[in-house]
Amino acid sequence: MSEYAERTWAPAAEQQASWPAVFSLTLGVFGLVTAEFLPASLLTPIARALDIPEALAGQAVTATAIVAFFAGLLAAVVTRGLDRRRVLMGFSTLLILSNLLVAAAPNLPLLLLARVLLGIALGGFWSMATAVTIRLVPPALVPRALSLVFSGVSVATIVAVPLGSYIGGLYGWRVVFLLSAGIGLVTLVIQMATLPRLADLGAARLGTLLSVLQRPGIGLGIACVVLVFSGHFALFTYVRPFLESVGGTDVSGIALTLLGFGLANFAGTLLAGFLLERSLRLTLALMPLLIAAAGLGLTGLHAGLPLQALLVALWGLAFGTIPVAWSTWLARAVPDETETGGGLIVAAVQLAITFGAAGGGAIYALAGVAGVFATGGALMVATSAIILASISASKPA
């Protein structure tokens, strides 16, 4: 995206890919995202058990997101000089502790403390995931390795909410979080067995965040991340109301449609490695256009369930490639500060979640759910144009 990226992204010495270590990062991502999503399916029983309103119990999700925002920005600074293997295992330990505390929580303060610990682990792990991944495989295999790591998000998206709800209904919500702690423990053991020692190669300080943002093209790239993810979360937050009110879809149809989204998202994550090895630029620009086509198509076609499900699956496929694509862009744009860059992306995505949900809510109040989808689609088109315009003077990525 910038001339700086073209100058600094150079092939490293030949190395062997450490796929077991990459897989351990995938498990880490899966465990963290699963724990992040679980309250969405268990909010009612949690609120009932702790004798608090559901709206208050929902702040467990908010606490995680806020802390993850700051943890993503500060993780590289706070852990400066530490072996990255130990740091990642520390975040996995926090994941285990968070789940155990939630499972034992007798009141709201302890629940929030547990979710704060999860936020630290989530933001910190995400900020370092790309930086560590590119050190585990040769440069040519980075897109493929990142697609494997991000597949953990897709799998968690598919299984966390429905499986959490099902197991919680059978055995209680506390058992669900104990199982989530078990996933974290398995992850920690595998990381101990597979991750090599990884010395901290950077010298991150608070000023490093600003200096990285000031590099040519980086600030604009991070802004595009915010726009793309804001558009997606504005649409996804209101996909069920859209399918119910505009599409006239029943509960079973909605469940199948969302399952299709999750499966297509997983496929898109795996497809990303193939696409990015051919053209990073086209992938960055084309995928928001596909999401726009899906959003605008849902709004304008007023089609029945089969076509709606197909458009939602197209959306899921396109979005599956986006986190991998932007992480690959980051690895090429700031190879000397990938942890700081990763923190900026984590912060950008957390902001996008807030902007997307809040902005979508405001549009929903003014123009209804169809207005949300029309506006979100238009935002995606505009973002694709910005991406194309901003990289038009650069050499092909």
Side-chain angles (χ1 to χ4, degrees), residues 112-373:
L112 292 179
L113 172 61
R115 300 298 290 183
V116 164
L117 294 179
L118 178 64
I120 295 172
L122 186 69
F125 196 98
W126 269 123
S127 70
M128 296 184 180
T130 297
V132 171
T133 300
I134 66 176
R135 295 174 66 181
L136 296 174
V137 299
L141 296 178
V142 166
R144 197 175 307 175
L146 287 173
S147 71
L148 177 59
V149 171
F150 279 92
S151 70
V153 179
S154 299
V155 176
T157 302
I158 295 169
V159 306
V161 173
L163 196 59
S165 179
Y166 177 73
I167 295 175
L170 289 177
Y171 304 107
W173 63 271
R174 295 183 189 273
V175 171
V176 177
F177 283 96
L178 287 176
L179 291 175
S180 184
I183 293 172
L185 180 59
V186 171
T187 299
L188 178 60
V189 171
I190 293 177
Q191 287 173 347
M192 291 174 64
T194 61
L195 281 176
R197 292 174 180 251
L198 295 165
D200 180 17
L201 300 180
R205 292 175 172 80
L206 288 176
T208 307
L209 290 166
L210 183 59
S211 66
V212 169
L213 273 176
Q214 290 176 335
R215 291 183 183 181
I218 302 304
L220 183 58
I222 295 298
C224 286
V225 172
V226 174
L227 290 174
V228 169
F229 280 86
S230 293
H232 164 73
F233 283 110
L235 295 171
F236 196 71
T237 301
Y238 296 96
V239 64
R240 177 164 181 163
F242 180 90
L243 293 173
E244 288 176 332
S245 62
V246 178
T249 309
D250 59 18
V251 174
S252 60
I254 291 172
L256 288 174
T257 300
L258 294 180
L259 176 61
F261 177 93
L263 293 173
N265 184 263
F266 177 70
T269 304
L270 299 180
L271 178 64
F274 174 82
L275 295 175
L276 293 168
E277 287 171 359
R278 282 146 184 82
S279 177
L280 172 61
R281 174 182 290 106
L282 287 180
T283 304
L284 287 173
L286 179 60
M287 295 306 145
L289 280 180
L290 292 180
I291 296 176
L296 296 174
L298 286 166
T299 305
L301 294 178
H302 300 289
L305 179 59
L307 183 55
Q308 286 180 354
L310 182 62
L311 289 171
V312 171
L314 174 66
W315 170 11
L317 182 76
F319 185 70
T321 70
I322 287 175
V324 186
W326 282 107
S327 294
T328 302
W329 166 79
L330 166 72
R332 298 184 181 186
V334 285
D336 58 323
E337 290 291 352
T338 47
E339 289 184 5
T340 298
L344 289 172
I345 286 188
V346 170
V349 172
Q350 295 300 322
L351 278 179
I353 293 173
T354 303
F355 290 162
I363 296 168
Y364 183 80
L366 292 173
V369 71
V372 175
F373 272 68

Side-chain angles (χ1 to χ4, degrees), residues 34-60:
T34 295
E36 182 184 19
F37 287 167
L38 280 178
S41 62
L42 300 167
L43 209 57
T44 298
I46 290 174
R48 189 182 304 120
L50 301 185
D51 194 25
I52 56 176
E54 289 185 18
L56 200 54
Q59 298 312 305

Side-chain angles (χ1 to χ4, degrees), residues 82-106:
L82 298 179
D83 181 354
R84 276 21 214 159
R85 176 179 183 269
R86 293 183 178 275
V87 173
L88 289 175
M89 291 192 302
F91 290 138
S92 294
T93 303
L94 285 180
L95 167 64
I96 298 168
L97 181 58
S98 170
N99 282 308
L100 291 176
L101 286 176
V102 172

